[in-house]
Amino acid sequence: MDQVTSIRPECLRPAADGWLQPTGPEIREVIERAGFTGSRAGKYLGIATQETGGCRQVRKWIAEDARIPYSAWALLCHAAGLGIIWVSEPV
């Protein structure tokens, strides 16, 4: 049985509205929800430099060896169906 990692609400906010950096497992979960492999996520974001073998930068984000930029995170969340997180909800 596959285990689903929950994504903290603080990770789904606009950057200027209290956004918190996602953890490696949260990044992996969003990539999987988008239906991407690490390599496909890198291509989607325009950062893949290898034809095969995955995307080194995506692996660093998942391993928490590097911080994921908000823009990359927001695009992955959108691809995963989590909404347009860079836009504040009307009050």
Side-chain angles (χ1 to χ4, degrees), residues 39-82:
S39 177
R40 179 68 186 110
K43 288 178 185 175
Y44 173 76
L45 296 170
I47 60 169
T49 58
Q50 303 172 355
E51 283 298 316
T52 60
C55 180
R56 180 176 296 155
Q57 189 60 51
V58 171
R59 287 193 303 269
K60 286 181 179 182
W61 295 337
I62 292 171
E64 299 181 21
D65 291 336
R67 295 172 59 89
I68 188 171
Y70 180 81
S71 56
W73 173 248
L75 288 171
L76 289 172
C77 287
H78 185 260
L82 296 173

Side-chain angles (χ1 to χ4, degrees), residues 9-60:
E10 298 85 2
C11 297
L12 301 174
R13 294 181 178 164
D17 190 22
W19 177 69
L20 291 182
Q21 182 75 26
T23 64
E26 288 171 323
I27 295 168
R28 180 184 299 115
E29 179 67 26
V30 167
I31 288 170
E32 289 175 2
R33 287 187 193 187
F36 294 157
T37 61
S39 177
R40 179 68 186 110
K43 288 178 185 175
Y44 173 76
L45 296 170
I47 60 169
T49 58
Q50 303 172 355
E51 283 298 316
T52 60
C55 180
R56 180 176 296 155
Q57 189 60 51
V58 171
R59 287 193 303 269
K60 286 181 179 182

